Amino acid sequence: MSRNVSGPQSASATPPIELVQLRSSPPRERADAARNRVAVLDAAATLFRAQGVAGVSMEAVAAAAGVGKGTLFRRFGDKAGLATALLDAEERALQEAILFGPAPLGPGPTGAAPAPRERLRAFVGAYLDYLLEHLDLVRVSETAATGARYRIGAYRFWHRHVALLLAGRPDPDADAHTLLAPLGAEHARAVVADVGADRFRGSALRLADALTVGPDGPALPGSAQPSALT
């Protein structure tokens, strides 16, 4: 991401332990392996910016990084694995902001928790910032195989965070999937090409607002009633 979303953490409220356990962890590796990893990711990022994700081969990445093709394929598997590795730091930054950062994306100071609706809107906005900035990379990581998006560890974190914010609804787990479905990269790419990024963002935020209204009309506990849903 282009902006710092982590913010001060020392006085933040304690996040749910189940969400902390789902956050991504940086890789643990030998110093030489870490150097090779950095070289590969730097080379890949440079080539992707210059030529687009689709226009860069794994062989070109290996040559630019100064590593053997076998090393690259053993380490990352394919272009989807390389894309996932490139996105890892961005996802971890967003997760840390959700867990420990300032409100409304994070919990804010102890005793001053923002309303679920505010946090859900902040999450959708921040996730869209991340998604639209890295759309081609996210798309590659999510479409490498059938259902790949849902097997990525970060998806489980996003889903659980949204479900916790929708805890007052009859089926928050299903509703969390419903909110996340249109935030998939393949869908976003097609819709942004059709209606533009601003309308796509507005639609996603209206969906978030609609889900933070209780089944009989009133807002969920601790949520402000949306002023409009259309």
Side-chain angles (χ1 to χ4, degrees):
M1 275 187 227
S2 58
R3 59 192 177 119
N4 178 10
V5 293
S6 58
Q9 299 181 8
S10 59
S12 295
T14 303
I17 185 63
E18 59 188 302
L19 204 57
V20 173
Q21 293 171 342
L22 286 173
R23 65 178 167 173
S24 303
S25 300
R28 296 179 180 179
E29 53 198 354
R30 301 187 318 270
D32 57 338
R35 286 193 296 271
N36 282 341
R37 178 184 177 86
V38 170
V40 167
L41 295 182
D42 286 348
T46 299
L47 289 171
F48 289 159
R49 281 194 299 269
Q51 303 175 31
V53 177
V56 176
S57 67
M58 292 287 278
E59 290 78 5
V61 173
V67 301
K69 290 187 293 184
T71 298
L72 182 63
F73 281 100
R74 282 194 300 273
R75 184 64 184 273
F76 298 100
D78 54 18
K79 195 183 291 187
L82 188 55
T84 299
L86 277 167
L87 293 167
D88 181 62
E90 305 287 350
E91 291 172 342
R92 280 189 278 115
L94 181 52
Q95 290 172 4
E96 291 296 307
I98 289 168
L99 290 169
F100 305 109
L105 181 58
T110 302
R117 177 173 179 257
E118 294 178 83
R119 292 205 67 188
L120 190 61
R121 284 180 63 88
F123 165 71
V124 170
Y127 188 83
L128 284 174
D129 289 344
Y130 154 76
L131 174 64
L132 296 177
E133 183 176 348
H134 306 287
L135 187 55
D136 287 344
L137 278 176
V138 178
R139 180 172 175 264
V140 168
S141 73
E142 290 183 351
T143 60
T146 301
R149 182 189 185 208
Y150 306 97
R151 293 193 294 272
I152 297 171
Y155 182 87
R156 293 193 293 273
F157 181 98
W158 314 136
H159 175 265
R160 193 62 199 142
H161 175 55
V162 172
L164 288 169
L165 294 177
L166 297 177
R169 291 186 61 83
D171 194 344
D173 285 346
D175 288 342
H177 285 302
T178 297
L179 178 63
L180 291 170
L183 302 184
E186 187 74 3
H187 176 81
R189 185 170 181 260
V191 175
V192 168
D194 185 35
V195 305
D198 289 343
R199 290 172 65 189
F200 175 62
R201 182 183 295 270
S203 178
L205 290 170
R206 286 191 295 274
L207 177 57
D209 284 346
L211 286 172
T212 46
V213 175
D216 299 319
L220 294 179
S223 299
Q225 182 74 29
S227 58
L229 297 180
T230 58

PDB file of all heavy atoms in Angstrom, residues 116-145:
ATOM      1  N   PRO A 116     -19.418  -0.870  14.952  1.00  0.00           N
ATOM      2  CA  PRO A 116     -19.163  -1.873  13.911  1.00  0.00           C
ATOM      3  C   PRO A 116     -19.334  -1.329  12.499  1.00  0.00           C
ATOM      4  O   PRO A 116     -18.555  -1.669  11.603  1.00  0.00           O
ATOM      5  CB  PRO A 116     -20.192  -2.965  14.226  1.00  0.00           C
ATOM      6  CG  PRO A 116     -20.404  -2.866  15.694  1.00  0.00           C
ATOM      7  CD  PRO A 116     -20.323  -1.393  16.002  1.00  0.00           C
ATOM      8  N   ARG A 117     -20.342  -0.504  12.277  1.00  0.00           N
ATOM      9  CA  ARG A 117     -20.549   0.042  10.940  1.00  0.00           C
ATOM     10  C   ARG A 117     -19.353   0.884  10.499  1.00  0.00           C
ATOM     11  O   ARG A 117     -18.912   0.800   9.351  1.00  0.00           O
ATOM     12  CB  ARG A 117     -21.820   0.881  10.886  1.00  0.00           C
ATOM     13  CG  ARG A 117     -22.042   1.549   9.514  1.00  0.00           C
ATOM     14  CD  ARG A 117     -23.397   2.238   9.455  1.00  0.00           C
ATOM     15  NE  ARG A 117     -23.566   2.886   8.165  1.00  0.00           N
ATOM     16  CZ  ARG A 117     -23.445   4.199   7.961  1.00  0.00           C
ATOM     17  NH1 ARG A 117     -23.132   4.990   8.976  1.00  0.00           N
ATOM     18  NH2 ARG A 117     -23.628   4.719   6.765  1.00  0.00           N
ATOM     19  N   GLU A 118     -18.835   1.701  11.393  1.00  0.00           N
ATOM     20  CA  GLU A 118     -17.670   2.522  11.063  1.00  0.00           C
ATOM     21  C   GLU A 118     -16.470   1.647  10.707  1.00  0.00           C
ATOM     22  O   GLU A 118     -15.740   1.920   9.751  1.00  0.00           O
ATOM     23  CB  GLU A 118     -17.306   3.423  12.235  1.00  0.00           C
ATOM     24  CG  GLU A 118     -18.318   4.489  12.585  1.00  0.00           C
ATOM     25  CD  GLU A 118     -17.846   5.278  13.790  1.00  0.00           C
ATOM     26  OE1 GLU A 118     -17.043   6.207  13.615  1.00  0.00           O
ATOM     27  OE2 GLU A 118     -18.254   4.934  14.914  1.00  0.00           O
ATOM     28  N   ARG A 119     -16.256   0.601  11.493  1.00  0.00           N
ATOM     29  CA  ARG A 119     -15.112  -0.268  11.251  1.00  0.00           C
ATOM     30  C   ARG A 119     -15.279  -1.047   9.951  1.00  0.00           C
ATOM     31  O   ARG A 119     -14.311  -1.260   9.217  1.00  0.00           O
ATOM     32  CB  ARG A 119     -14.910  -1.236  12.421  1.00  0.00           C
ATOM     33  CG  ARG A 119     -14.475  -0.555  13.706  1.00  0.00           C
ATOM     34  CD  ARG A 119     -13.722  -1.506  14.624  1.00  0.00           C
ATOM     35  NE  ARG A 119     -12.446  -1.894  14.035  1.00  0.00           N
ATOM     36  CZ  ARG A 119     -11.653  -2.842  14.550  1.00  0.00           C
ATOM     37  NH1 ARG A 119     -12.018  -3.487  15.639  1.00  0.00           N
ATOM     38  NH2 ARG A 119     -10.494  -3.146  13.973  1.00  0.00           N
ATOM     39  N   LEU A 120     -16.504  -1.483   9.664  1.00  0.00           N
ATOM     40  CA  LEU A 120     -16.723  -2.232   8.436  1.00  0.00           C
ATOM     41  C   LEU A 120     -16.496  -1.343   7.216  1.00  0.00           C
ATOM     42  O   LEU A 120     -15.859  -1.758   6.249  1.00  0.00           O
ATOM     43  CB  LEU A 120     -18.136  -2.819   8.415  1.00  0.00           C
ATOM     44  CG  LEU A 120     -18.414  -3.812   7.291  1.00  0.00           C
ATOM     45  CD1 LEU A 120     -17.478  -5.017   7.394  1.00  0.00           C
ATOM     46  CD2 LEU A 120     -19.870  -4.262   7.319  1.00  0.00           C
ATOM     47  N   ARG A 121     -16.998  -0.126   7.257  1.00  0.00           N
ATOM     48  CA  ARG A 121     -16.773   0.802   6.151  1.00  0.00           C
ATOM     49  C   ARG A 121     -15.277   1.097   5.993  1.00  0.00           C
ATOM     50  O   ARG A 121     -14.760   1.181   4.870  1.00  0.00           O
ATOM     51  CB  ARG A 121     -17.538   2.101   6.388  1.00  0.00           C
ATOM     52  CG  ARG A 121     -19.029   2.012   6.131  1.00  0.00           C
ATOM     53  CD  ARG A 121     -19.715   3.356   6.386  1.00  0.00           C
ATOM     54  NE  ARG A 121     -19.212   4.372   5.473  1.00  0.00           N
ATOM     55  CZ  ARG A 121     -19.703   4.625   4.260  1.00  0.00           C
ATOM     56  NH1 ARG A 121     -20.720   3.917   3.793  1.00  0.00           N
ATOM     57  NH2 ARG A 121     -19.192   5.580   3.510  1.00  0.00           N
ATOM     58  N   ALA A 122     -14.585   1.272   7.104  1.00  0.00           N
ATOM     59  CA  ALA A 122     -13.146   1.539   7.043  1.00  0.00           C
ATOM     60  C   ALA A 122     -12.401   0.346   6.440  1.00  0.00           C
ATOM     61  O   ALA A 122     -11.455   0.524   5.651  1.00  0.00           O
ATOM     62  CB  ALA A 122     -12.610   1.868   8.431  1.00  0.00           C
ATOM     63  N   PHE A 123     -12.795  -0.868   6.815  1.00  0.00           N
ATOM     64  CA  PHE A 123     -12.156  -2.055   6.252  1.00  0.00           C
ATOM     65  C   PHE A 123     -12.383  -2.137   4.745  1.00  0.00           C
ATOM     66  O   PHE A 123     -11.439  -2.367   3.971  1.00  0.00           O
ATOM     67  CB  PHE A 123     -12.681  -3.332   6.910  1.00  0.00           C
ATOM     68  CG  PHE A 123     -12.324  -4.574   6.128  1.00  0.00           C
ATOM     69  CD1 PHE A 123     -11.018  -5.030   6.089  1.00  0.00           C
ATOM     70  CD2 PHE A 123     -13.289  -5.242   5.396  1.00  0.00           C
ATOM     71  CE1 PHE A 123     -10.680  -6.158   5.333  1.00  0.00           C
ATOM     72  CE2 PHE A 123     -12.964  -6.362   4.637  1.00  0.00           C
ATOM     73  CZ  PHE A 123     -11.651  -6.824   4.604  1.00  0.00           C
ATOM     74  N   VAL A 124     -13.638  -1.958   4.321  1.00  0.00           N
ATOM     75  CA  VAL A 124     -13.932  -2.027   2.885  1.00  0.00           C
ATOM     76  C   VAL A 124     -13.119  -0.976   2.129  1.00  0.00           C
ATOM     77  O   VAL A 124     -12.528  -1.257   1.085  1.00  0.00           O
ATOM     78  CB  VAL A 124     -15.435  -1.857   2.633  1.00  0.00           C
ATOM     79  CG1 VAL A 124     -15.720  -1.682   1.140  1.00  0.00           C
ATOM     80  CG2 VAL A 124     -16.211  -3.063   3.160  1.00  0.00           C
ATOM     81  N   GLY A 125     -13.059   0.239   2.660  1.00  0.00           N
ATOM     82  CA  GLY A 125     -12.283   1.285   2.009  1.00  0.00           C
ATOM     83  C   GLY A 125     -10.806   0.960   1.928  1.00  0.00           C
ATOM     84  O   GLY A 125     -10.168   1.126   0.877  1.00  0.00           O
ATOM     85  N   ALA A 126     -10.226   0.485   3.029  1.00  0.00           N
ATOM     86  CA  ALA A 126      -8.803   0.156   3.049  1.00  0.00           C
ATOM     87  C   ALA A 126      -8.504  -1.052   2.165  1.00  0.00           C
ATOM     88  O   ALA A 126      -7.471  -1.091   1.471  1.00  0.00           O
ATOM     89  CB  ALA A 126      -8.343  -0.112   4.481  1.00  0.00           C
ATOM     90  N   TYR A 127      -9.393  -2.040   2.187  1.00  0.00           N
ATOM     91  CA  TYR A 127      -9.168  -3.209   1.342  1.00  0.00           C
ATOM     92  C   TYR A 127      -9.235  -2.831  -0.134  1.00  0.00           C
ATOM     93  O   TYR A 127      -8.440  -3.323  -0.950  1.00  0.00           O
ATOM     94  CB  TYR A 127     -10.174  -4.324   1.649  1.00  0.00           C
ATOM     95  CG  TYR A 127      -9.833  -5.590   0.914  1.00  0.00           C
ATOM     96  CD1 TYR A 127      -8.890  -6.465   1.426  1.00  0.00           C
ATOM     97  CD2 TYR A 127     -10.402  -5.878  -0.324  1.00  0.00           C
ATOM     98  CE1 TYR A 127      -8.527  -7.615   0.730  1.00  0.00           C
ATOM     99  CE2 TYR A 127     -10.045  -7.012  -1.026  1.00  0.00           C
ATOM    100  CZ  TYR A 127      -9.105  -7.881  -0.500  1.00  0.00           C
ATOM    101  OH  TYR A 127      -8.733  -9.008  -1.201  1.00  0.00           O
ATOM    102  N   LEU A 128     -10.165  -1.950  -0.483  1.00  0.00           N
ATOM    103  CA  LEU A 128     -10.252  -1.511  -1.871  1.00  0.00           C
ATOM    104  C   LEU A 128      -9.010  -0.725  -2.288  1.00  0.00           C
ATOM    105  O   LEU A 128      -8.553  -0.829  -3.429  1.00  0.00           O
ATOM    106  CB  LEU A 128     -11.513  -0.674  -2.080  1.00  0.00           C
ATOM    107  CG  LEU A 128     -12.812  -1.476  -2.147  1.00  0.00           C
ATOM    108  CD1 LEU A 128     -14.011  -0.546  -2.196  1.00  0.00           C
ATOM    109  CD2 LEU A 128     -12.828  -2.406  -3.353  1.00  0.00           C
ATOM    110  N   ASP A 129      -8.459   0.078  -1.383  1.00  0.00           N
ATOM    111  CA  ASP A 129      -7.202   0.766  -1.679  1.00  0.00           C
ATOM    112  C   ASP A 129      -6.120  -0.251  -2.053  1.00  0.00           C
ATOM    113  O   ASP A 129      -5.392  -0.091  -3.041  1.00  0.00           O
ATOM    114  CB  ASP A 129      -6.730   1.594  -0.479  1.00  0.00           C
ATOM    115  CG  ASP A 129      -7.586   2.822  -0.231  1.00  0.00           C
ATOM    116  OD1 ASP A 129      -8.356   3.214  -1.133  1.00  0.00           O
ATOM    117  OD2 ASP A 129      -7.491   3.375   0.878  1.00  0.00           O
ATOM    118  N   TYR A 130      -6.003  -1.287  -1.237  1.00  0.00           N
ATOM    119  CA  TYR A 130      -5.022  -2.345  -1.472  1.00  0.00           C
ATOM    120  C   TYR A 130      -5.326  -3.090  -2.771  1.00  0.00           C
ATOM    121  O   TYR A 130      -4.442  -3.293  -3.617  1.00  0.00           O
ATOM    122  CB  TYR A 130      -5.037  -3.301  -0.275  1.00  0.00           C
ATOM    123  CG  TYR A 130      -4.591  -4.710  -0.566  1.00  0.00           C
ATOM    124  CD1 TYR A 130      -3.247  -5.015  -0.740  1.00  0.00           C
ATOM    125  CD2 TYR A 130      -5.535  -5.739  -0.669  1.00  0.00           C
ATOM    126  CE1 TYR A 130      -2.841  -6.313  -1.010  1.00  0.00           C
ATOM    127  CE2 TYR A 130      -5.138  -7.033  -0.937  1.00  0.00           C
ATOM    128  CZ  TYR A 130      -3.796  -7.326  -1.110  1.00  0.00           C
ATOM    129  OH  TYR A 130      -3.403  -8.605  -1.384  1.00  0.00           O
ATOM    130  N   LEU A 131      -6.583  -3.483  -2.954  1.00  0.00           N
ATOM    131  CA  LEU A 131      -6.962  -4.284  -4.115  1.00  0.00           C
ATOM    132  C   LEU A 131      -6.738  -3.534  -5.426  1.00  0.00           C
ATOM    133  O   LEU A 131      -6.130  -4.071  -6.362  1.00  0.00           O
ATOM    134  CB  LEU A 131      -8.434  -4.684  -3.993  1.00  0.00           C
ATOM    135  CG  LEU A 131      -9.052  -5.409  -5.192  1.00  0.00           C
ATOM    136  CD1 LEU A 131      -8.372  -6.756  -5.410  1.00  0.00           C
ATOM    137  CD2 LEU A 131     -10.561  -5.589  -4.988  1.00  0.00           C
ATOM    138  N   LEU A 132      -7.213  -2.299  -5.497  1.00  0.00           N
ATOM    139  CA  LEU A 132      -7.131  -1.562  -6.754  1.00  0.00           C
ATOM    140  C   LEU A 132      -5.692  -1.163  -7.091  1.00  0.00           C
ATOM    141  O   LEU A 132      -5.341  -1.047  -8.264  1.00  0.00           O
ATOM    142  CB  LEU A 132      -8.036  -0.338  -6.689  1.00  0.00           C
ATOM    143  CG  LEU A 132      -9.531  -0.660  -6.563  1.00  0.00           C
ATOM    144  CD1 LEU A 132     -10.350   0.612  -6.436  1.00  0.00           C
ATOM    145  CD2 LEU A 132     -10.021  -1.510  -7.737  1.00  0.00           C
ATOM    146  N   GLU A 133      -4.860  -0.969  -6.064  1.00  0.00           N
ATOM    147  CA  GLU A 133      -3.457  -0.645  -6.319  1.00  0.00           C
ATOM    148  C   GLU A 133      -2.688  -1.843  -6.855  1.00  0.00           C
ATOM    149  O   GLU A 133      -1.735  -1.699  -7.628  1.00  0.00           O
ATOM    150  CB  GLU A 133      -2.793  -0.126  -5.045  1.00  0.00           C
ATOM    151  CG  GLU A 133      -1.351   0.303  -5.242  1.00  0.00           C
ATOM    152  CD  GLU A 133      -0.734   0.918  -3.993  1.00  0.00           C
ATOM    153  OE1 GLU A 133      -1.475   1.213  -3.038  1.00  0.00           O
ATOM    154  OE2 GLU A 133       0.498   1.097  -3.983  1.00  0.00           O
ATOM    155  N   HIS A 134      -3.099  -3.048  -6.451  1.00  0.00           N
ATOM    156  CA  HIS A 134      -2.363  -4.266  -6.814  1.00  0.00           C
ATOM    157  C   HIS A 134      -3.269  -5.255  -7.552  1.00  0.00           C
ATOM    158  O   HIS A 134      -3.110  -6.459  -7.423  1.00  0.00           O
ATOM    159  CB  HIS A 134      -1.809  -4.924  -5.553  1.00  0.00           C
ATOM    160  CG  HIS A 134      -0.978  -4.025  -4.701  1.00  0.00           C
ATOM    161  ND1 HIS A 134       0.290  -3.628  -5.062  1.00  0.00           N
ATOM    162  CD2 HIS A 134      -1.238  -3.420  -3.513  1.00  0.00           C
ATOM    163  CE1 HIS A 134       0.788  -2.827  -4.127  1.00  0.00           C
ATOM    164  NE2 HIS A 134      -0.124  -2.684  -3.189  1.00  0.00           N
ATOM    165  N   LEU A 135      -4.194  -4.743  -8.345  1.00  0.00           N
ATOM    166  CA  LEU A 135      -5.262  -5.575  -8.893  1.00  0.00           C
ATOM    167  C   LEU A 135      -4.740  -6.764  -9.700  1.00  0.00           C
ATOM    168  O   LEU A 135      -5.217  -7.891  -9.535  1.00  0.00           O
ATOM    169  CB  LEU A 135      -6.198  -4.717  -9.743  1.00  0.00           C
ATOM    170  CG  LEU A 135      -7.471  -5.392 -10.260  1.00  0.00           C
ATOM    171  CD1 LEU A 135      -8.275  -5.986  -9.107  1.00  0.00           C
ATOM    172  CD2 LEU A 135      -8.319  -4.400 -11.032  1.00  0.00           C
ATOM    173  N   ASP A 136      -3.770  -6.535 -10.588  1.00  0.00           N
ATOM    174  CA  ASP A 136      -3.281  -7.641 -11.416  1.00  0.00           C
ATOM    175  C   ASP A 136      -2.595  -8.721 -10.585  1.00  0.00           C
ATOM    176  O   ASP A 136      -2.768  -9.916 -10.833  1.00  0.00           O
ATOM    177  CB  ASP A 136      -2.312  -7.116 -12.477  1.00  0.00           C
ATOM    178  CG  ASP A 136      -3.031  -6.359 -13.589  1.00  0.00           C
ATOM    179  OD1 ASP A 136      -4.261  -6.502 -13.701  1.00  0.00           O
ATOM    180  OD2 ASP A 136      -2.358  -5.638 -14.336  1.00  0.00           O
ATOM    181  N   LEU A 137      -1.825  -8.294  -9.579  1.00  0.00           N
ATOM    182  CA  LEU A 137      -1.165  -9.280  -8.717  1.00  0.00           C
ATOM    183  C   LEU A 137      -2.177 -10.079  -7.911  1.00  0.00           C
ATOM    184  O   LEU A 137      -2.067 -11.304  -7.784  1.00  0.00           O
ATOM    185  CB  LEU A 137      -0.202  -8.580  -7.757  1.00  0.00           C
ATOM    186  CG  LEU A 137       1.185  -8.205  -8.283  1.00  0.00           C
ATOM    187  CD1 LEU A 137       1.950  -7.446  -7.211  1.00  0.00           C
ATOM    188  CD2 LEU A 137       1.950  -9.445  -8.725  1.00  0.00           C
ATOM    189  N   VAL A 138      -3.167  -9.392  -7.340  1.00  0.00           N
ATOM    190  CA  VAL A 138      -4.186 -10.092  -6.553  1.00  0.00           C
ATOM    191  C   VAL A 138      -4.947 -11.066  -7.447  1.00  0.00           C
ATOM    192  O   VAL A 138      -5.237 -12.207  -7.057  1.00  0.00           O
ATOM    193  CB  VAL A 138      -5.138  -9.099  -5.874  1.00  0.00           C
ATOM    194  CG1 VAL A 138      -6.219  -9.852  -5.085  1.00  0.00           C
ATOM    195  CG2 VAL A 138      -4.380  -8.162  -4.942  1.00  0.00           C
ATOM    196  N   ARG A 139      -5.253 -10.628  -8.644  1.00  0.00           N
ATOM    197  CA  ARG A 139      -5.985 -11.500  -9.575  1.00  0.00           C
ATOM    198  C   ARG A 139      -5.188 -12.768  -9.866  1.00  0.00           C
ATOM    199  O   ARG A 139      -5.748 -13.878  -9.864  1.00  0.00           O
ATOM    200  CB  ARG A 139      -6.286 -10.744 -10.866  1.00  0.00           C
ATOM    201  CG  ARG A 139      -7.042 -11.550 -11.908  1.00  0.00           C
ATOM    202  CD  ARG A 139      -7.466 -10.670 -13.066  1.00  0.00           C
ATOM    203  NE  ARG A 139      -8.091 -11.448 -14.111  1.00  0.00           N
ATOM    204  CZ  ARG A 139      -7.456 -11.915 -15.183  1.00  0.00           C
ATOM    205  NH1 ARG A 139      -6.151 -11.670 -15.328  1.00  0.00           N
ATOM    206  NH2 ARG A 139      -8.092 -12.616 -16.099  1.00  0.00           N
ATOM    207  N   VAL A 140      -3.898 -12.638 -10.127  1.00  0.00           N
ATOM    208  CA  VAL A 140      -3.075 -13.819 -10.389  1.00  0.00           C
ATOM    209  C   VAL A 140      -3.074 -14.753  -9.190  1.00  0.00           C
ATOM    210  O   VAL A 140      -3.202 -15.973  -9.320  1.00  0.00           O
ATOM    211  CB  VAL A 140      -1.633 -13.394 -10.752  1.00  0.00           C
ATOM    212  CG1 VAL A 140      -0.694 -14.601 -10.739  1.00  0.00           C
ATOM    213  CG2 VAL A 140      -1.605 -12.735 -12.114  1.00  0.00           C
ATOM    214  N   SER A 141      -2.953 -14.186  -7.983  1.00  0.00           N
ATOM    215  CA  SER A 141      -2.889 -15.025  -6.779  1.00  0.00           C
ATOM    216  C   SER A 141      -4.215 -15.720  -6.504  1.00  0.00           C
ATOM    217  O   SER A 141      -4.238 -16.821  -5.945  1.00  0.00           O
ATOM    218  CB  SER A 141      -2.472 -14.185  -5.565  1.00  0.00           C
ATOM    219  OG  SER A 141      -3.521 -13.335  -5.132  1.00  0.00           O
ATOM    220  N   GLU A 142      -5.329 -15.093  -6.900  1.00  0.00           N
ATOM    221  CA  GLU A 142      -6.648 -15.639  -6.580  1.00  0.00           C
ATOM    222  C   GLU A 142      -7.190 -16.595  -7.634  1.00  0.00           C
ATOM    223  O   GLU A 142      -8.134 -17.346  -7.360  1.00  0.00           O
ATOM    224  CB  GLU A 142      -7.653 -14.499  -6.389  1.00  0.00           C
ATOM    225  CG  GLU A 142      -7.423 -13.679  -5.135  1.00  0.00           C
ATOM    226  CD  GLU A 142      -8.477 -12.606  -4.927  1.00  0.00           C
ATOM    227  OE1 GLU A 142      -9.306 -12.369  -5.853  1.00  0.00           O
ATOM    228  OE2 GLU A 142      -8.489 -12.008  -3.842  1.00  0.00           O
ATOM    229  N   THR A 143      -6.642 -16.554  -8.840  1.00  0.00           N
ATOM    230  CA  THR A 143      -7.215 -17.345  -9.938  1.00  0.00           C
ATOM    231  C   THR A 143      -6.270 -18.416 -10.461  1.00  0.00           C
ATOM    232  O   THR A 143      -6.504 -18.974 -11.538  1.00  0.00           O
ATOM    233  CB  THR A 143      -7.629 -16.416 -11.095  1.00  0.00           C
ATOM    234  OG1 THR A 143      -6.477 -15.690 -11.575  1.00  0.00           O
ATOM    235  CG2 THR A 143      -8.685 -15.419 -10.649  1.00  0.00           C
ATOM    236  N   ALA A 144      -5.230 -18.712  -9.713  1.00  0.00           N
ATOM    237  CA  ALA A 144      -4.267 -19.731 -10.158  1.00  0.00           C
ATOM    238  C   ALA A 144      -4.928 -21.095 -10.319  1.00  0.00           C
ATOM    239  O   ALA A 144      -4.544 -21.893 -11.170  1.00  0.00           O
ATOM    240  CB  ALA A 144      -3.111 -19.824  -9.174  1.00  0.00           C
ATOM    241  N   ALA A 145      -5.916 -21.379  -9.500  1.00  0.00           N
ATOM    242  CA  ALA A 145      -6.652 -22.637  -9.561  1.00  0.00           C
ATOM    243  C   ALA A 145      -8.051 -22.378  -9.032  1.00  0.00           C
ATOM    244  O   ALA A 145      -8.311 -21.362  -8.380  1.00  0.00           O
ATOM    245  CB  ALA A 145      -5.955 -23.713  -8.718  1.00  0.00           C
TER     246      ALA A 145
END
